[in-house]
Amino acid sequence: MTDPPEPAPTFRLRRQPPAFLLARVQETARLSDRMVRIRVAGEALRGFGAAEPAASVRLLLPPAGHDDVVLPEWNGNEFLFADGSRPPLRTFTPLRIRREMGAMDLGVVLHDGGVASTWAASARVGDTLALSGPGRGYVVDPDARHYLLAGDETALPAITELIEVLPGAARVDVNVELADPRGRLALPEREGMEVHWHDLNAGARPGDALVAALSGLTFETGARIWAAGEAAAMQRIRRLLGDRGLARSQVVVRGYWKRGSAGDDDS
């Protein structure tokens, strides 16, 4: 008697993400010594976008050794190429979505290593890629009178977009942690806003400067807080805000990247 065959591995089926839309690089420009703006465009992007600001998109880059993007297949749990390998996917929050033009601006932090950083540093007009989304955005409370926006360099595109859409009467405090002082970026101007840049000391963990800055702040009743950056740092900030008595409805904290993971800082 032969042994019965091993059961096939099972996994929990997930809802399939939106389809990938093909696009091309239309323009590149340096925003700072640490960030490049990549404008991507395509007919498929006309009308693309989300109702809320700070919504994410998933970026599919050409695999190593290819000039053109190769679309993967959804297997019920993840996207894979025909040979079973994982495609180079990275998630970004655009600096700006230009629906009527079928274009969007991506802000990519430049650093040593990282799939998206390497791609952005050498991107040329006409290069192909694909986008999927949009992901969840941030629901703005029009009645809130105090907003705190906090994050590291990878959060600057989302912070830029949020500054432009928050209620005009609200006071806005922005706190940004920089792994390198060259990462300072010109942010939109508005009345009632203060911007604080915090340099991360050599050898410190991502988030140390941001956690220290937020620890010394006071929050108005009903204040709204949005924060994004390295995952472990965001966990510390979530605990800090909870210890300060802020309700969950007041706080949105998102991990954009994970230290030590392949391709970290690519957000």
Side-chain angles (χ1 to χ4, degrees), residues 51-128:
E52 302 92 10
S56 62
V57 297
R58 181 175 286 185
L59 183 65
L60 172 65
L61 302 173
H66 292 74
D67 293 329
D68 294 323
V69 70
V70 178
L71 296 181
E73 295 290 336
W74 179 254
N75 72 351
N77 185 58
E78 62 181 333
F79 283 108
L80 294 175
F81 287 133
D83 63 2
S85 62
R86 289 187 172 90
L89 295 172
R90 293 296 181 269
T91 301
F92 288 88
T93 300
L95 280 161
R96 182 170 286 105
I97 295 179
R98 305 171 185 271
R99 295 177 179 85
E100 71 287 351
M101 297 171 54
M104 72 175 67
D105 294 344
L106 302 172
V108 185
V109 177
L110 300 179
H111 61 96
D112 294 332
V115 173
S117 178
T118 301
W119 168 79
S122 60
R124 298 291 182 267
V125 173
D127 288 353
T128 60

Side-chain angles (χ1 to χ4, degrees), residues 2 16 23 77 100-101 111 121 156 176 180 193 197 231 259 263:
T2 60
Q16 182 171 350
N77 185 58
E100 71 287 351
M101 297 171 54
H111 61 96
L156 282 170
V176 182
D180 188 313
M193 181 175 76
W197 302 94
R259 184 186 187 189

Side-chain angles (χ1 to χ4, degrees), residues 19-237:
F20 283 101
L21 306 175
L22 293 175
R24 291 185 180 273
V25 174
Q26 187 180 71
E27 179 184 311
T28 69
R30 280 294 186 101
L31 299 180
S32 72
D33 288 343
R34 292 267 294 173
M35 182 173 286
V36 63
R37 186 195 72 201
I38 309 289
R39 179 169 297 171
V40 301
E43 283 299 316
L45 299 184
R46 290 192 182 275
F48 178 91
E52 302 92 10
S56 62
V57 297
R58 181 175 286 185
L59 183 65
L60 172 65
L61 302 173
H66 292 74
D67 293 329
D68 294 323
V69 70
V70 178
L71 296 181
E73 295 290 336
W74 179 254
N75 72 351
N77 185 58
E78 62 181 333
F79 283 108
L80 294 175
F81 287 133
D83 63 2
S85 62
R86 289 187 172 90
L89 295 172
R90 293 296 181 269
T91 301
F92 288 88
T93 300
L95 280 161
R96 182 170 286 105
I97 295 179
R98 305 171 185 271
R99 295 177 179 85
E100 71 287 351
M101 297 171 54
M104 72 175 67
D105 294 344
L106 302 172
V108 185
V109 177
L110 300 179
H111 61 96
D112 294 332
V115 173
S117 178
T118 301
W119 168 79
S122 60
R124 298 291 182 267
V125 173
D127 288 353
T128 60
L129 66 150
L131 296 159
S132 175
R136 59 180 178 173
Y138 179 65
V139 179
V140 174
D141 181 350
D143 298 321
R145 290 294 177 262
H146 180 204
Y147 275 90
L148 169 68
L149 308 178
D152 58 23
E153 292 171 79
T154 66
L156 282 170
I159 289 173
T160 296
E161 187 177 20
L162 288 169
I163 289 171
E164 295 178 336
V165 300
L166 293 180
R171 178 167 69 89
V172 179
D173 290 314
V174 180
N175 284 264
V176 182
E177 177 182 283
L178 299 175
D180 188 313
R182 298 174 301 163
R184 289 200 182 199
L185 188 68
L187 297 175
E189 296 182 358
R190 58 172 288 157
E191 293 186 8
M193 181 175 76
E194 291 188 7
V195 180
H196 305 277
W197 302 94
H198 309 282
D199 294 334
L200 189 64
N201 294 329
R205 294 177 297 169
D208 280 354
L210 202 57
V211 170
L214 268 56
S215 297
L217 297 181
T218 58
F219 304 99
E220 296 180 9
T221 302
R224 297 293 185 269
I225 294 89
W226 180 95
E230 197 276 328
M234 292 303 105
Q235 291 178 355
R236 288 191 283 158
I237 286 175

